[in-house]
Amino acid sequence: MKKLFVDTNIVIDLLSYREPFYEEAAQLFSLADQKIIELSISSLTIANTSYTLLRQTNANTAKEILRKLRLIINILPLDDKIIGVALNDNSFSDFEDGLQYFTAIENNQDLIITRNLKDFKNFILPVLTARQFLKM
């Protein structure tokens, strides 16, 4: 089973029904719900997604949405080692992207799913959009 690390933007596309990206995010998460693929996110993504949801709804609803999300994804730890690697790496202009990438590497993910391909160029781990992955 393919292990896909999902960037924050894909999670927010799904949970915020963000068009025109919602449908492909929903298809991706549906595959995980059917146990065809395994989806993982970093613990940082939970915090970032909560922040976004709280701008759209109340705290109880946001927590309920995140509880349901946890049923179909793995949440990977963001630890001192990953933060250290990201701080000492000059490949990423966006520190958060480095944290995501090294979380995926540390947890043996097969590829990263994001809408920001330009932020993940020339790295060991393959990076695709949700649409590109679904076409495979």
Side-chain angles (χ1 to χ4, degrees), residues 10 20-21 24-25 113-114 128-136:
I10 304 296
F21 311 107
E24 55 203 37
I113 303 293
T114 185
L128 300 171
T129 65
R131 176 173 289 163
Q132 288 171 328
F133 177 79
L134 292 167
K135 286 183 179 180
M136 290 176 38

Side-chain angles (χ1 to χ4, degrees), residues 71-119:
L71 297 173
I72 59 171
I73 60 158
N74 299 313
I75 301 173
L76 304 176
L78 178 60
D79 62 17
D80 185 60
K81 177 182 178 184
I82 294 167
I83 291 169
V85 171
L87 284 171
N88 290 307
D89 182 88
N90 294 323
S91 304
F92 289 94
S93 58
D94 182 337
F95 178 61
E96 189 266 345
D97 289 335
L99 291 172
Q100 299 287 35
Y101 180 79
F102 293 114
T103 298
I105 291 287
E106 181 68 19
N107 290 279
N108 302 310
Q109 300 297 289
D110 295 319
L111 58 99
I112 295 176
I113 303 293
T114 185
R115 277 194 292 105
N116 297 326
L117 295 177
K118 65 178 176 44
D119 296 333

Side-chain angles (χ1 to χ4, degrees), residues 4-18 21-22 24-26 28-29 39-50 52-53 56 65-66 68-70 72-75 96 100 113-115 130:
L4 282 63
F5 183 86
V6 181
D7 197 9
T8 304
N9 53 47
I10 304 296
V11 176
I12 293 172
D13 290 345
L14 175 76
L15 299 181
S16 297
Y17 298 90
R18 194 160 48 184
F21 311 107
Y22 169 77
E24 55 203 37
L28 190 68
F29 281 81
L39 295 182
S40 297
I41 61 173
S42 73
S43 54
L44 178 62
T45 294
I46 287 291
N48 290 343
T49 302
S50 174
T52 300
L53 290 173
Q56 301 168 356
I65 291 167
L66 293 174
K68 289 178 182 175
L69 177 67
R70 285 185 63 215
I72 59 171
I73 60 158
N74 299 313
I75 301 173
E96 189 266 345
Q100 299 287 35
I113 303 293
T114 185
R115 277 194 292 105

